[in-house]
Amino acid sequence: MSRCAFWSALAILAACVPCAADVPRVERVEVVVGSRSAEEGGESDGPASPFKSPFGVDFDAAGMMFIVELEGGRVWERSPMGGLKVIAGDGSKTYQGDGGPARSATFNGMHNVAITKSGRMLIADTWNHCVREIDLKTRTIETLAGTGKAGFQDGPGAAAMFDYVMCVTLTPDERTVLIADINNRRIRSLDLESNTVSTIAGNGMKGVPAEGAKALESPLVDPRAVAADSKGRVYVLERGGHALRRIDRDGSIHTVAGSGKPGPADGIGATTQLNGPKHLAIDDHDRVWIADDENAAIRCFDPETSMVSTVLGRGAGDEKLRLNHPHGVCWEAGSLYVADMGNDRVLKVVFAK
């Protein structure tokens, strides 16, 4: 898919969606896997977590939850009834298993996961510099894009090269995978029909993009995560840039949240602060939910008002809860799921109706 075709495809995704409402009020926080500490109001002998540094969470069409670990190197499956099992990975930092059963596959520093409605699981196999795919019907695995070696190259997936695939996210129509290629300081797109990789943002240089400049000709600081909304806009989260940027349908880039200096300040647009944000998810109202790692908080950016609000952590949402390096966020069926990495747990944030 050419860059022009990519932006045209995103533009036609704009649909009639409800106007963004006020940021939802947290009703309760449930621990899906793991437990609360005694300081958080939990039991001192609560259930131990089987996870080791969970980073990414997503769901299939049947409501099965899948979790990928950074340090544990495993892919977990959790049923709606709570059953847990490992479906891939053995904890080693290796690169094996393509063409065979997923259960025999290994990974190296997985950072997140995205699943299509048809059952294609896409994994950011970060330190293997590639995008892996598990077919959830056959439970087999292959490398979809990347050679396993660091580099930069667009083109057919098998020949394309990346340098730390930090995030893979599906566009709303599930035709394209957006990829945060952090060490190349670029945002890449992978057309799932043609299996072709192209670059949509970043010129490879390190820097803060000028307001309104062409995204493809602009520098980026360190793009850590990326996602598209229903209006065809692409959001880019920069970890060391402490900012949320947006690529509009005309290909221009804008900083919509974060002053560039680390901090916890809520407010409007560039008056706000982020601190080492790691991941983002977009909800049904096109609000952007941010795992703000170093602030130990979950933040929400409302594109209708440009407001950034702290929703969970730092005393918000649940006064007793203490996040410890929240790294993954996933919006599913009206709730937000958080991979609270430092606590080896997954949380479900339920909002008041």
Side-chain angles (χ1 to χ4, degrees), residues 146-183:
T147 65
K149 298 184 182 299
F152 173 72
Q153 179 67 49
D154 283 340
M161 298 184 75
F162 307 90
D163 194 348
Y164 280 27
V165 175
M166 299 298 287
C167 175
V168 290
T169 309
L170 291 158
T171 55
D173 63 0
E174 298 191 346
R175 295 178 180 176
T176 304
V177 181
L178 298 175
I179 302 166
D181 187 7
I182 192 169
N183 282 353

Side-chain angles (χ1 to χ4, degrees), residues 184-269:
N184 280 320
R185 299 188 178 92
R186 291 178 169 96
I187 300 298
R188 319 284 290 279
S189 73
L190 170 62
D191 185 315
L192 286 178
E193 182 176 353
S194 66
N195 200 36
T196 301
V197 174
S198 59
T199 299
I200 64 168
N203 62 9
M205 303 299 290
K206 183 177 183 178
V208 176
E211 183 64 21
K214 293 181 180 179
L216 194 57
E217 299 174 0
S218 297
L220 294 171
V221 178
D222 54 355
R224 177 62 174 73
V226 60
D229 71 9
S230 70
K231 295 180 175 63
R233 302 173 296 193
V234 173
Y235 287 90
V236 178
L237 193 62
E238 297 216 89
R239 180 182 63 191
H242 310 293
L244 177 67
R245 312 196 199 281
R246 186 177 69 209
I247 305 168
D248 287 343
R249 285 161 31 185
D250 63 1
S252 62
I253 191 166
H254 309 266
T255 299
V256 295
S259 66
K261 295 184 178 180
D266 287 340
I268 301 289

Side-chain angles (χ1 to χ4, degrees), residues 60-337:
D60 70 7
M64 302 289 283
M65 176 193 289
F66 295 87
I67 306 101
V68 298
E69 302 171 311
L70 177 73
E71 294 296 336
R74 297 167 294 185
V75 181
W76 291 82
E77 177 184 72
R78 182 185 184 274
S79 73
M81 300 302 293
L84 267 172
K85 65 179 180 180
V86 174
I87 67 165
D90 62 7
S92 64
K93 292 180 172 62
T94 53
Y95 182 23
Q96 299 174 2
D98 280 354
R103 190 64 186 86
S104 301
T106 60
F107 308 90
N108 191 358
M110 292 179 287
H111 273 73
N112 87 305
V113 58
I115 302 171
T116 70
K117 294 181 181 65
S118 63
R120 300 177 69 177
M121 174 188 285
L122 309 170
I123 296 172
D125 195 358
T126 305
W127 300 328
N128 281 327
H129 311 291
C130 65
V131 180
R132 309 282 288 280
E133 177 181 349
I134 295 176
D135 185 325
L136 291 177
K137 295 176 182 176
T138 64
R139 299 296 171 112
T140 55
I141 189 168
E142 64 177 339
T143 294
L144 193 60
T147 65
K149 298 184 182 299
F152 173 72
Q153 179 67 49
D154 283 340
M161 298 184 75
F162 307 90
D163 194 348
Y164 280 27
V165 175
M166 299 298 287
C167 175
V168 290
T169 309
L170 291 158
T171 55
D173 63 0
E174 298 191 346
R175 295 178 180 176
T176 304
V177 181
L178 298 175
I179 302 166
D181 187 7
I182 192 169
N183 282 353
N184 280 320
R185 299 188 178 92
R186 291 178 169 96
I187 300 298
R188 319 284 290 279
S189 73
L190 170 62
D191 185 315
L192 286 178
E193 182 176 353
S194 66
N195 200 36
T196 301
V197 174
S198 59
T199 299
I200 64 168
N203 62 9
M205 303 299 290
K206 183 177 183 178
V208 176
E211 183 64 21
K214 293 181 180 179
L216 194 57
E217 299 174 0
S218 297
L220 294 171
V221 178
D222 54 355
R224 177 62 174 73
V226 60
D229 71 9
S230 70
K231 295 180 175 63
R233 302 173 296 193
V234 173
Y235 287 90
V236 178
L237 193 62
E238 297 216 89
R239 180 182 63 191
H242 310 293
L244 177 67
R245 312 196 199 281
R246 186 177 69 209
I247 305 168
D248 287 343
R249 285 161 31 185
D250 63 1
S252 62
I253 191 166
H254 309 266
T255 299
V256 295
S259 66
K261 295 184 178 180
D266 287 340
I268 301 289
T271 68
T272 64
Q273 293 176 311
L274 302 170
N275 193 353
K278 289 291 182 68
H279 197 238
L280 77 171
I282 297 177
D283 71 13
D284 304 327
H285 296 288
D286 285 336
R287 291 173 296 224
V288 182
W289 298 85
I290 300 169
D292 197 6
D293 180 25
E294 296 301 326
N295 276 326
I298 302 300
R299 317 286 292 280
C300 182
F301 170 76
D302 186 336
E304 294 295 324
T305 63
S306 295
M307 280 289 299
V308 174
S309 305
T310 299
V311 177
L312 188 66
R314 304 180 65 86
D318 184 320
E319 291 185 358
K320 292 185 176 181
L321 191 77
R322 296 293 181 266
L323 300 174
N324 185 2
H325 294 300
H327 278 177
V329 283
C330 174
W331 186 266
E332 174 71 13
S335 294
L336 186 72
Y337 291 81

